[in-house]
């Protein structure tokens, strides 16, 4: 029984093992409540849609920190390099981690520190005006020194822009993979899903609207909407709403429950640096805070 509860530590917090593969380590995305699958940004985010890498972006570095509820923290480092493997497209390398905090065995007093680590290589490719991209991930999950597991996971995304680039539609298959070894003889499910999205940029206003729908093969569905306004040349504000946020209501009827699923965010650009901040409301669960630093390396070394 003791072993059973140890194995459930990450699952009880984030629903399943290897969830790190489904996390979006980017403050801009979280500020739009992960509805940005078809929204192109200044700094490429392969976690949302690797097809963005098919456009030749500038070389840049990103660092993200995410403070979840309780003592759970996560973060990611990403480096995007254009024309490395394919001319006109970019390649990205990312290192991500989740720290689930500390747990103690009430019988032995032994302390456990579960964590996940993920290495990701991403590549974009353009074919006949359609953007394609893929993520190849290696995930290592550790509960204790005796209970750990690894796995390989892949994502494939696409994006098509039309109406003079004002509209975009995308679709992809995410989290397809397998375990290389099991948790103490126990196989964990990797929940694959289909991700779709559409976006529209208004002609007379610097405003982008977007919608995203995710269908998980476990029969769970998630859909969200978002908007992003370029308020000034170097200032962007955004908001998003995840309609599954109502599932976080526990019946307390507090005001904060009525805002569950909402997120707010902003970006500030200063020369070669971009600062993104987001605030994610989870109803009765603690709100989450995220910050991303983007550095446009090519601008620094001009």
């Amino acid at each position: 029984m003791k072993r059973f509860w140890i194995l459930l530590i990450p699952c009880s917090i984030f629903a399943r093992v290897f969830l790190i593969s489904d996390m979006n380590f980017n403050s801009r995305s979280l500020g739009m409540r992960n509805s940005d699958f078809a929204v192109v940004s200044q700094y490429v985010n392969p976690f949302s849609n690797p097809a963005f890498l098919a456009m030749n972006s500038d070389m840049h570095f990103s660092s993200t920190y995410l403070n979840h509820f309780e003592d759970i923290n996560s973060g990611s480092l990403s480096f995007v390099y254009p024309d490395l493997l394919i001319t006109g497209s970019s390649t990205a390398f990312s290192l991500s981690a989740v720290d689930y905090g500390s747990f103690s065995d009430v019988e032995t007093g032994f302390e456990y520190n579960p964590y996940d680590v993920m290495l990701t290589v991403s590549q974009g490719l353009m074919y006949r005006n359609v953007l394609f991209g893929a993520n190849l991930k290696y995930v290592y999950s550790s509960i204790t020194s005796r209970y750990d597991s690894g796995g390989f996971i892949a994502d494939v995304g696409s994006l098509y822009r039309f109406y003079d680039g004002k509209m975009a539609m995308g679709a992809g298959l995410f989290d397809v993979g397998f375990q290389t070894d099991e948790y103490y003889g126990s196989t964990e499910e990797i929940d694959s899903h289909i991700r779709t999205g559409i976006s529209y940029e208004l002609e007379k206003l610097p405003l982008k609207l977007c919608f995203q729908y995710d269908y998980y093969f476990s029969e769970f569905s998630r859909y969200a909407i978002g908007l992003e306004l370029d308020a000034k040349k170097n200032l962007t504000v955004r908001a998003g709403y995840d309609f599954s946020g109502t599932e976080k209501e526990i019946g307390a009827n507090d005001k904060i429950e009525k805002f569950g699923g909402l997120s707010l965010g902003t970006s500030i650009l200063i020369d070669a640096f971009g600062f993104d901040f987001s605030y994610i409301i989870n109803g009765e669960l603690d709100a989450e805070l995220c910050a991303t630093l983007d550095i446009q390396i090519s601008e620094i070394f001009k």
Side-chain angles (χ1 to χ4, degrees), residues 6 9 15 33 60 74 99 112 125 191 200 203 212 273 284 299:
I6 295 172
I9 289 172
R33 203 69 192 208
H60 72 270
S74 65
D99 178 7
Y112 306 98
L125 172 68
D191 196 3
Y200 175 66
E203 295 186 8
Q212 181 171 327
F273 299 89
E284 282 297 321
E299 288 293 320

Side-chain angles (χ1 to χ4, degrees), residues 273-291:
F273 299 89
F275 303 90
D276 290 332
F277 306 95
S278 59
Y279 180 72
I280 304 99
I281 302 174
N282 296 312
E284 282 297 321
L285 296 176
D286 292 341
E288 298 174 277
L289 298 173
C290 184

Side-chain angles (χ1 to χ4, degrees), residues 70-217:
E70 298 298 333
D71 296 325
I72 306 171
N73 297 277
S74 65
S76 181
L77 301 173
S78 296
F79 178 68
V80 176
Y81 197 103
D83 302 324
L84 180 63
L85 300 178
I86 301 174
T87 302
S89 299
S90 299
T91 307
F93 304 91
S94 305
L95 173 63
S96 311
V98 179
D99 178 7
Y100 294 100
S102 300
F103 299 84
S104 297
D105 189 312
V106 294
E107 296 182 14
T108 65
F110 187 82
E111 189 172 272
Y112 306 98
N113 300 98
Y115 65 89
D116 289 347
V117 176
M118 180 174 69
L119 297 173
T120 307
V121 178
S122 310
Q123 178 63 51
L125 172 68
M126 180 178 289
Y127 180 73
R128 294 187 177 181
N129 296 323
V130 180
L131 310 182
F132 295 95
N135 296 323
L136 178 60
K137 308 170 182 177
Y138 173 73
V139 181
Y140 175 77
S141 180
S142 173
I143 298 176
T144 71
S145 57
R146 294 182 58 191
Y147 303 100
D148 57 8
S149 179
F152 286 98
I153 299 174
D155 308 326
V156 178
S158 65
L159 186 73
Y160 178 66
R161 304 176 72 186
F162 55 100
Y163 193 47
D164 294 329
K166 296 292 184 181
M167 294 193 70
M169 298 179 64
L173 181 61
F174 283 70
D175 291 337
V176 178
F178 58 91
Q179 279 185 295
T180 56
D181 49 287
E182 302 173 341
Y183 281 111
Y184 203 77
S186 175
T187 302
E188 300 294 337
E189 185 71 21
I190 299 176
D191 196 3
S192 304
H193 66 281
I194 296 172
R195 188 176 296 178
T196 61
I198 186 170
S199 68
Y200 175 66
E201 183 176 352
L202 275 65
E203 295 186 8
K204 297 183 179 181
L205 285 176
L207 178 66
K208 299 175 183 176
L209 306 175
C210 55
F211 171 81
Q212 181 171 327
Y213 173 75
D214 299 343
Y215 175 76
Y216 289 78
F217 294 155

